[in-house]
Amino acid sequence: MLIAAIGLLIAATFAALAALAAYVANRRIPAQTRQDYRDGSGVITGIVGTLFAVSIGLVVVAAWNQVNTATETSATEASNLTDVYWYSRTLPAPQRVALQTLAGTYTTTVIREEWPLMAEEHRLSQSAWRASEQLRAFFQTVQPDGSGPSARYGQAMSRMQAVLDARRSRAQMADTGVPPLLWVALAACGLVALLPSILCGSANRKVHITMAAAVGGMVGLVLFLVYQLDFPFSGGISVSPAAFEQALDRFASIRALGAG
């Protein structure tokens, strides 16, 4: 609700600025001059408007795919972490408790510390990195003998490697947003698409101001939407830590079963 209110406020601000600019243009630029500009800029305005619409569409599609990929990556990481926790049931009590503690600490750190950090600073937590390294180091301390335990150990190691791979992918996606050059292009196209409604509006002042405000509000709203999709772990449309929260619930269920 807050994000929607901010979006409407930004759209209203753009609309008000465009309306003010149109009012000034209507008073200062003669009607014949505005008519001449309108007659000569129709083709260019259509081309720029099309480029702006296509650019926005490409950015929104790419950003939405990034959000979907980040969601799948987080789910994969949490799912494999749950499998690692399942493996703890096959270990002796001291090692079982150690692995469960490490997995629980890592998951809790990701939820409480790392997710807000990804949203605000677009990077992963050093504490969570250390927790993941401790998890990886744990498997280097347990080398079971026998075909059965060894097979289970190998499966657990592959799940642990999948956790680390997903984490590295998540680190890359947390810092991947819309390139600054593309932002400049979008802003420039939006401005050029807005200028005709400001400079070449109708001779009727009310119509001129109304059309400029409508176009300005639309440009502001579209740019705000792109901004909300800029990074997959921040903004109004972002990936939540729901997969890790569900993993914590699964940990409690697995722990209640005791040793396997």
Side-chain angles (χ1 to χ4, degrees), residues 29-62:
I29 302 176
Q32 184 58 48
T33 302
R34 286 189 279 109
Q35 179 64 39
D36 293 340
Y37 275 119
R38 185 163 58 250
D39 293 340
S41 63
V43 175
I44 296 177
T45 301
I47 293 174
V48 172
T50 301
L51 288 176
F52 181 64
V54 170
S55 300
I56 289 293
L58 291 175
V59 170
V60 169
V61 169

Side-chain angles (χ1 to χ4, degrees), residues 52 88 101 109 115 128 213:
F52 181 64
S88 69
T101 300
T109 303
W115 227 263

Side-chain angles (χ1 to χ4, degrees), residues 201-250:
S202 170
N204 186 308
R205 183 173 298 173
K206 290 183 179 180
V207 174
H208 186 178
I209 294 174
T210 301
M211 294 303 296
V215 176
M218 184 60 66
V219 170
L221 191 61
V222 168
L223 291 178
F224 177 75
L225 172 63
V226 175
Y227 176 76
Q228 291 302 311
L229 287 167
D230 196 357
F231 291 94
F233 296 100
S234 61
I237 305 174
S238 60
V239 181
S240 73
F244 290 91
E245 293 169 350
Q246 292 173 4
L248 276 183
D249 293 337
R250 295 292 297 140

Side-chain angles (χ1 to χ4, degrees), residues 51-110:
L51 288 176
F52 181 64
V54 170
S55 300
I56 289 293
L58 291 175
V59 170
V60 169
V61 169
W64 187 254
N65 287 337
Q66 179 84 336
V67 170
N68 288 335
T69 302
T71 302
E72 294 173 0
T73 300
S74 300
T76 298
E77 183 180 354
S79 175
N80 283 283
L81 192 61
T82 302
D83 290 341
V84 169
Y85 202 93
W86 268 108
Y87 172 70
S88 69
R89 298 183 67 246
T90 67
L91 299 175
Q95 294 177 337
R96 180 173 68 252
V97 172
L99 178 55
Q100 291 179 350
T101 300
L102 289 173
T105 299
Y106 172 73
T107 307
T108 302
T109 303
V110 167

Side-chain angles (χ1 to χ4, degrees), residues 147-250:
S147 58
S150 179
R152 289 196 295 269
Y153 173 78
Q155 292 173 354
M157 275 294 295
S158 67
R159 297 294 188 274
M160 187 65 233
Q161 186 60 49
V163 170
L164 297 174
D165 291 341
R167 177 174 178 78
R168 283 189 283 268
S169 297
R170 183 160 56 84
Q172 183 178 7
M173 286 184 288
D175 192 35
T176 303
V178 177
L181 185 60
L182 187 54
W183 270 114
V184 173
L186 289 176
C189 287
L191 179 61
V192 174
L194 177 60
L195 281 177
S197 63
I198 294 176
L199 300 178
C200 312
S202 170
N204 186 308
R205 183 173 298 173
K206 290 183 179 180
V207 174
H208 186 178
I209 294 174
T210 301
M211 294 303 296
V215 176
M218 184 60 66
V219 170
L221 191 61
V222 168
L223 291 178
F224 177 75
L225 172 63
V226 175
Y227 176 76
Q228 291 302 311
L229 287 167
D230 196 357
F231 291 94
F233 296 100
S234 61
I237 305 174
S238 60
V239 181
S240 73
F244 290 91
E245 293 169 350
Q246 292 173 4
L248 276 183
D249 293 337
R250 295 292 297 140

